[in-house]
Amino acid sequence: MKQLIETIVKPLVDYPDDVKVVAEEQSQRVVYQLSVNAEDMGKVIGKQGRVAKAIRTIVYSAAGGHHGKKVYLDILD
């Protein structure tokens, strides 16, 4: 899943080397924390959050059940 998130986000940003995804597993959920360069934050979020929503939709769909755990994507600023 980390690879999928990186594959989606890296082409969108000016500083692809600064894209980092950290997975935090808990008992009932998996939280993926995405961090990008401060200058790229607007590109990842998009106007009115449309790009961020689209990224989340793809990730949630690809995750499916993910072994019975709920998957979340946090975009850190």
Side-chain angles (χ1 to χ4, degrees):
M1 196 58 61
K2 287 173 61 172
Q3 187 68 37
L4 172 66
I5 296 168
E6 289 175 357
T7 302
I8 294 169
V9 174
K10 283 186 177 184
L12 299 174
V13 298
D14 290 333
Y15 302 97
D17 294 338
D18 292 348
V19 174
K20 291 186 179 41
V21 180
V22 177
E24 182 180 305
E25 285 206 44
Q26 299 167 353
S27 60
Q28 296 297 317
R29 64 187 194 158
V30 180
V31 179
Y32 291 96
Q33 297 176 335
L34 170 65
S35 62
V36 296
N37 189 298
E39 293 181 28
D40 291 329
M41 190 58 68
K43 293 177 182 176
V44 173
I45 294 174
K47 290 183 181 173
Q48 298 179 346
R50 288 189 180 133
V51 175
K53 185 177 180 192
I55 294 170
R56 285 188 174 111
T57 300
I58 294 168
V59 170
Y60 297 162
S61 296
H66 201 269
H67 309 295
K69 294 185 179 184
K70 188 87 171 142
V71 173
Y72 295 93
L73 176 63
D74 288 342
I75 300 172
L76 307 176
D77 51 340

